[in-house]
Amino acid sequence: MAEVQRFMRINKPCILLIVISGMERFAFKGVASNLVTYLTDVMKMSNSSAAKTVNSWVGFTSMLPLLVATLADTYWDKYSTILASSVLYVAGLLALTSTALRWSWNPMNKISSATSLSWSLFMISLGQGGYNPSLQAFGAEQLGDDNGLPCTNNNDQSSSNKSLFFQWWYFGVCCGSLLGVSIMSYIQDTLGWGLGFAIPTIAMVTSIAMFLCGNRFYTRDQERNIDGKSFEEIIQAVKAAVSKMINRLKKPNNDYNVVELELQEKALCSQDPDAIEGFGGNSDESIHPVRAAKMVLHLLPVWVMLLMFAVIFQQPATFFTKQGMTMRRNIGSNFRIPPAALQSAITVSIIILMPLYDTCFIPLVSFFTRNEKGINVMQRIGIGMFLSVIAMVVAALTERKRLQICKEMGFLETKSESVPFSIFWLLPQYILLGISDIFTVVGMQEFFYSEVPVRMRTTGIALYTSVFGVGSFLSALLISLIEYFTSSRGRENGWFSDDMNEARLDKYYWFLALSSAISLLSFVIYCRFLESRT
């Protein structure tokens, strides 16, 4: 009952937009979760090429919001950006569906199909680049309790509502992802890719219709930078700040100390709105470009330290899926579990455990921390990063066991693909990643949204998605580098051999666990440094 009462603090427009976001995730995950299988089985790519293609596309898709969001914050409004982006989104899904149908009729024209596939995925990326950050920022604005301060602790009630919104937003996203991964992967593997891509297209069209039906409920912020100078001024401010840092090296230390004292007197999260330059007593006034630039630069260390978490985030849709294809997947005598469907374990764990976060975890932690929210945003992110390291350790141990069974039973000599090792042994690593998402992903959304000026909230959401974008590119780069350095005669692809019984994914998982542990240690040290300065 307490959880229901907390949920009712979210108004009708927010609930509608949460449902719409879930439908969009159903459409996207219905395509992305099994795309690596489409590329290997239909387009005949190698395992490493398919994984790099998926990682690069997901990275490009996640990076685009950073560009589109700045334009939306500077020149457009969120509502118009949502509508325009949704048209491109649907056009890309329609093109992808037609590509799959044409391939089934004429499988010999591989070059034409590859070109059509590339353009289809590009349009989906372009549409999602404006759609997702604008929709989420638009949804957060519907709460109507924003006081304009770029800070997570300026108002306990407002901060609590924002935290609750982002938590339920991610809950809705996970529900849509669960349906997209579990249902669509089965349909694509058994009924064909044409139907498997057509259903996500229909779902996306339906979500747009629902968004338009909610027009009478929305609170639309008409205040925006019509002159389009805000973002340009911030860029100029960043350039000026860099120039000052260079010139400062030529100045005496006394001048540097004066600048340091001036920065310390202007805290980022000042409790007094009047103390923040550019706000005055009116939250509708534009924040000063220099202050806005400082706030964005303040986020970069955290952004960088989250990249390895984003690399781990890519594994379920690539190597986890290929790993599952080699394992025993039968339930009974007739049904075989689609490997991509196991990604639903992540979302199931989130859906089941998310309500327990408020009802069990927070009250328990609050008793020890004397904090009503239990833990702050940075602690929440850190706990999730730690759990992702544990997930990689478990994945490495599981893969090592699978390879041991292959060796003991002679599968390396027979080149058999199916190993008598149940696919359900992969569940612990999926579930651990799901629990880590409850902490880190929700914490990231709240952190990047709350720590930027009000007029840059779409950009704040885009900064959050760009972590996963750069993480996808970093994942593709790591695969290329490791593939290059580990390839040897007799083992054509090294750790990422197309024969999964010869591949050494266990070593790759250990490498990710170690890299993520270093990132977590850096994150903890940085947080301690921030605490020591406050």
Side-chain angles (χ1 to χ4, degrees):
M1 289 299 295
E3 187 65 21
V4 173
Q5 291 175 358
R6 280 174 55 81
F7 180 72
M8 293 307 295
R9 281 159 48 186
I10 302 177
N11 55 29
K12 289 181 180 179
C14 286
I15 295 174
L16 176 62
L17 293 171
I18 287 172
V19 173
I20 291 172
S21 71
M23 296 180 69
E24 184 276 330
R25 284 293 89 184
F26 169 82
F28 182 78
K29 286 293 186 179
V31 172
S33 63
N34 210 22
L35 185 60
V36 68
T37 305
Y38 180 78
L39 295 178
T40 54
D41 293 356
V42 179
M43 305 302 293
K44 304 302 179 183
M45 290 186 179
S46 66
N47 287 342
S48 60
S49 296
K52 286 186 285 187
T53 299
V54 172
N55 285 334
S56 298
W57 174 63
V58 172
F60 178 71
T61 303
S62 301
M63 282 297 295
L64 260 182
L66 200 56
L67 173 63
V68 179
T70 55
L71 296 174
D73 280 334
T74 305
Y75 298 102
W76 310 327
D77 64 278
K78 298 179 183 64
Y79 183 85
S80 300
T81 304
I82 293 169
L83 291 181
S85 301
S86 63
V87 172
L88 283 173
Y89 205 144
V90 171
L93 290 171
L94 286 171
L96 181 63
T97 303
S98 64
T99 299
L101 291 174
R102 284 203 310 271
W103 178 267
S104 63
W105 297 331
N106 185 18
M108 300 303 294
N109 195 354
K110 184 176 180 179
I111 297 178
S112 175
S113 295
T115 303
S116 300
L117 176 66
S118 299
W119 278 106
S120 303
L121 296 178
F122 174 75
M123 282 192 290
I124 292 174
S125 299
L126 196 60
Q128 193 188 82
Y131 186 87
N132 271 358
S134 298
L135 186 69
Q136 188 167 9
F138 186 70
E141 287 180 354
Q142 305 307 308
L143 291 174
D145 57 0
D146 201 339
N147 59 11
L149 291 175
C151 177
T152 55
N153 62 351
N154 49 49
N155 182 286
D156 289 341
Q157 184 63 37
S158 175
S159 177
S160 177
N161 288 343
K162 283 290 191 297
S163 180
L164 183 65
F165 168 78
F166 286 116
Q167 189 164 300
W168 281 104
W169 181 276
Y170 196 57
F171 182 87
V173 163
C174 289
C175 288
S177 299
L178 171 62
L179 295 176
V181 169
S182 57
I183 296 176
M184 297 316 305
S185 60
Y186 176 78
I187 291 176
Q188 289 159 358
D189 288 348
T190 57
L191 301 180
W193 293 96
L195 180 62
F197 290 149
I199 294 176
T201 305
I202 295 172
M204 190 63 197
V205 172
T206 305
S207 71
I208 297 171
M210 291 177 61
F211 178 77
L212 293 173
C213 290
N215 278 337
R216 62 193 181 96
F217 297 115
Y218 302 141
T219 300
R220 294 175 59 180
D221 183 10
Q222 300 297 332
E223 297 292 333
R224 53 194 174 104
N225 289 317
I226 304 299
D227 57 4
K229 293 182 179 179
S230 176
F231 183 71
E232 297 167 8
E233 290 176 346
I234 290 172
I235 295 297
Q236 294 298 324
V238 172
K239 291 181 179 179
V242 173
S243 177
K244 285 183 179 180
M245 290 175 64
I246 295 174
N247 293 332
R248 190 179 300 158
L249 298 176
K250 304 176 182 179
K251 294 183 178 182
N253 289 335
N254 290 338
D255 294 340
Y256 176 79
N257 293 335
V258 170
V259 175
E260 278 294 311
L261 181 59
E262 181 180 334
L263 289 175
Q264 291 174 8
E265 288 175 350
K266 298 179 180 179
L268 175 66
C269 292
S270 174
Q271 300 296 319
D272 183 7
D274 295 335
I276 298 181
E277 182 181 358
F279 276 106
N282 187 352
S283 62
D284 290 336
E285 295 180 17
S286 297
I287 190 167
H288 194 279
V290 175
R291 293 291 294 156
K294 289 179 184 176
M295 292 169 189
V296 173
L297 291 174
H298 163 78
L299 306 178
L300 290 183
V302 177
W303 186 92
V304 171
M305 286 178 280
L306 286 167
L307 289 179
M308 282 311 302
F309 175 83
V311 172
I312 292 177
F313 197 83
Q314 311 306 319
Q315 304 313 307
T318 53
F319 288 123
F320 281 14
T321 299
K322 296 302 297 183
Q323 190 179 359
M325 293 179 70
T326 67
M327 303 173 75
R328 189 174 67 243
R329 299 182 280 134
N330 295 75
I331 296 181
S333 57
N334 298 323
F335 182 76
R336 299 188 73 193
I337 302 173
L342 216 62
Q343 296 175 44
S344 61
I346 295 177
T347 49
V348 168
S349 62
I350 293 172
I351 291 170
I352 293 176
L353 298 177
M354 182 77 81
L356 297 180
Y357 178 86
D358 277 323
T359 57
C360 298
F361 179 79
I362 292 301
L364 179 63
V365 175
S366 298
F367 177 78
F368 295 100
T369 62
R370 307 290 182 179
N371 184 349
E372 183 181 351
K373 292 183 67 175
I375 54 177
N376 59 38
V377 174
M378 304 300 275
Q379 290 170 335
R380 182 170 188 165
I381 293 174
I383 292 173
M385 293 174 69
F386 173 76
L387 290 173
S388 69
V389 174
I390 301 301
M392 283 296 98
V393 172
V394 172
L397 294 174
T398 303
E399 175 63 7
R400 181 62 183 166
K401 180 64 176 178
R402 188 188 71 84
L403 292 174
Q404 184 179 347
I405 293 175
C406 288
K407 184 177 180 180
E408 290 175 353
M409 303 192 68
F411 281 87
L412 295 179
E413 289 76 16
T414 61
K415 303 294 183 182
S416 175
E417 292 187 358
S418 181
V419 179
F421 188 51
S422 175
I423 194 174
F424 291 111
W425 282 103
L426 298 180
L427 279 178
Q429 63 203 56
Y430 280 101
I431 293 173
L432 281 169
L433 284 182
I435 299 173
S436 73
D437 286 359
I438 294 176
F439 288 91
T440 299
V441 175
V442 176
M444 287 170 61
Q445 291 176 359
E446 183 179 354
F447 175 77
F448 285 107
Y449 178 87
S450 302
E451 291 289 345
V452 296
V454 173
R455 293 183 182 278
M456 296 179 63
R457 288 288 165 83
T458 308
T459 303
I461 297 297
L463 281 171
Y464 147 72
T465 62
S466 69
V467 172
F468 297 100
V470 176
S472 296
F473 286 122
L474 181 58
S475 179
L477 177 62
L478 287 174
I479 292 172
S480 297
L481 292 175
I482 293 173
E483 187 176 34
Y484 175 78
F485 286 110
T486 61
S487 295
S488 60
R489 186 174 302 175
R491 295 189 59 152
E492 183 179 350
N493 292 319
W495 289 3
F496 308 116
S497 173
D498 287 340
D499 185 350
M500 291 296 294
N501 294 336
E502 292 186 352
R504 293 307 305 267
L505 291 182
D506 58 327
K507 293 184 177 180
Y508 180 59
Y509 294 153
W510 280 117
F511 171 78
L512 293 182
L514 177 61
S515 302
S516 299
I518 294 173
S519 295
L520 173 60
L521 180 61
S522 302
F523 181 80
V524 172
I525 293 173
Y526 179 72
C527 291
R528 291 290 178 87
F529 171 74
L530 291 181
E531 289 179 1
S532 66
R533 296 192 63 181
T534 56

